[in-house]
Amino acid sequence: MSEFSMTPEQTRVTRVVLVVVAASSVVCMIPVLVTFLAFHEKRSTVGGVLTMAFCVATVGIETFRLLPAFWGFERFLANRNLCVMQAVLTQFFSLFCVVTFCLIARNLHTLLVARARLQLRAARLQLLVGCGVCILLTGVPWGAGAFGRDGDLYCWYNDSVSANWQLLTFSLPTLASMIIGLTFWILSIAFIRASAAAADSQYSSLRTVRDRTNAEPLLGMRAKPDYKRHLAFVTVYMVVTGIVALNNVVYAVEKSKSHQTPARHFVFWLVDTVTVSGIGVAVALTVGLSRANLMLWRRALCGAGDSVVRSLPSVVVARDSQ
């Protein structure tokens, strides 16, 4: 992208947006990670382990996008070693984020639809395999010298290399993982919604208050909020990923036709910065704000809520830890 440069003013604005949005994402994700570290309950389930890995990957993306701000953008981008380091870490955490998204979806589908429970050891093995694939897809372009300065904000794939490197080692694996993950999410969310509708139908058929009270834990009356939270998480992540992908496609097409201008270059980087750097905020809101998390902190800080947590149906607690 060296042949298409933004104006100095546009560069300053984009860098400020990058720092503010990415820093906000990191700050929002800290309480989520602290919750996983502070409470063993959050790490004792398959869904909890996978979700924690996803959150770590999200924080990794935002943190390493912020690196140039600490050294100074010009000095950082001019340093070959620092630039390649940022490119390698950005590539790895971006891929790992997509892989864990897919694994979370598969686990939820296995738990709900297939009515089987994935063992914690098997989940950790899947994470290790996924991590190995990410390392491979990062190491190959790194060894080929495909990483370097990528515009005026950060480093990733060097513009001097063929676009096939990014296509084969990032775009296509990411697309395949997203399609698989989205398929599992759609099936799982449809199942949760159907179960909630069936529970509501049975609940409404009960005539007395006593019968309804006794039936609530058995019917899983809290499935609706859980379904909405899962839907919000999937929707936000897919929208962000879709905007980033579409933005990159439009940019590549315009660049290949030499239609790129400083103004369009500025719009591309602004959209890319807001969507990618803001994913931490979206994940914190959809993953961190759950009833189970609030109950855990209430119990730890106030010594209350044990009875409430114990009274929740076990299937709901398992789902809410996803």
Side-chain angles (χ1 to χ4, degrees):
M1 299 174 189
S2 55
E3 64 268 35
F4 302 120
S5 299
M6 293 183 287
T7 65
E9 182 62 28
Q10 290 173 340
T11 300
R12 281 194 297 271
V13 170
T14 311
R15 288 175 176 176
V16 169
V17 172
L18 169 64
V19 172
V20 172
V21 179
S24 300
S25 289
V26 173
V27 170
C28 288
M29 287 301 298
I30 289 176
V32 180
L33 290 179
V34 170
T35 301
F36 279 104
L37 295 175
F39 301 104
H40 177 70
E41 297 96 319
K42 299 296 293 183
R43 308 189 305 275
S44 60
T45 64
V46 173
V49 170
L50 296 177
T51 305
M52 182 175 66
F54 178 84
C55 292
V56 169
T58 302
V59 172
I61 295 173
E62 310 301 356
T63 300
F64 293 111
R65 284 173 69 92
L66 279 172
L67 284 181
F70 295 105
W71 270 271
F73 282 94
E74 296 303 332
R75 185 172 62 174
F76 184 94
L77 296 175
N79 188 309
R80 170 67 181 172
N81 293 330
L82 290 176
C83 194
V84 171
M85 178 190 70
Q86 184 190 32
V88 168
L89 294 173
T90 299
Q91 169 85 348
F92 172 78
F93 281 111
S94 298
L95 290 169
F96 193 56
C97 190
V98 176
V99 167
T100 50
F101 174 84
C102 185
L103 290 178
I104 293 172
R106 182 183 181 277
N107 172 63
L108 186 64
H109 178 269
T110 301
L111 179 66
L112 296 178
V113 181
R115 296 189 179 278
R117 187 175 294 275
L118 187 66
Q119 297 298 320
L120 198 57
R121 182 179 299 178
R124 289 169 178 165
L125 179 60
Q126 289 183 4
L127 278 177
L128 287 176
V129 172
C131 185
V133 173
C134 296
I135 291 175
L136 177 65
L137 292 175
T138 301
V140 171
W142 182 15
F147 291 141
R149 179 164 179 167
D150 187 25
D152 300 318
L153 294 178
Y154 54 82
C155 303
W156 195 21
Y157 284 91
N158 197 326
D159 235 20
S160 62
V161 302
S162 171
N164 291 333
W165 276 111
Q166 184 173 355
L167 179 67
L168 295 176
T169 59
F170 183 79
S171 300
L172 289 181
T174 298
L175 179 62
S177 297
M178 293 301 295
I179 291 175
I180 295 172
L182 183 59
T183 301
F184 281 127
W185 277 111
I186 291 175
L187 293 175
S188 300
I189 291 175
F191 180 85
I192 294 174
R193 187 175 182 181
S195 299
D200 283 345
S201 177
Q202 296 180 49
Y203 183 76
S204 60
S205 66
L206 300 175
R207 297 181 178 181
T208 67
V209 174
R210 181 178 179 180
D211 288 340
R212 292 187 176 188
T213 303
N214 293 334
E216 283 186 9
L218 300 177
L219 297 178
M221 300 308 296
R222 300 180 188 273
K224 275 191 173 180
D226 190 56
Y227 146 71
K228 291 179 180 178
R229 193 167 64 85
H230 280 301
L231 181 59
F233 168 69
V234 177
T235 302
V236 167
Y237 189 72
M238 291 302 299
V239 167
V240 169
T241 306
I243 291 175
V244 172
L246 180 61
N247 194 42
N248 278 274
V249 169
V250 172
Y251 181 87
V253 171
E254 290 192 343
K255 180 183 172 183
S256 65
K257 296 180 179 180
S258 299
H259 290 168
Q260 193 62 256
T261 64
R264 292 184 179 182
H265 193 72
F266 172 62
V267 171
F268 164 78
W269 281 111
L270 199 60
V271 172
D272 180 82
T273 299
V274 172
T275 51
V276 178
S277 299
I279 190 173
V281 177
V283 171
L285 293 176
T286 54
V287 173
L289 293 180
S290 69
R291 183 181 181 85
N293 288 348
L294 295 176
M295 289 298 181
L296 287 173
W297 280 110
R298 181 184 175 190
R299 182 184 64 186
L301 298 176
C302 306
D306 291 308
S307 60
V308 178
V309 173
R310 284 197 298 267
S311 68
L312 289 176
S314 58
V315 65
V316 175
V317 175
R319 289 178 187 173
D320 207 37
S321 65
Q322 300 289 324

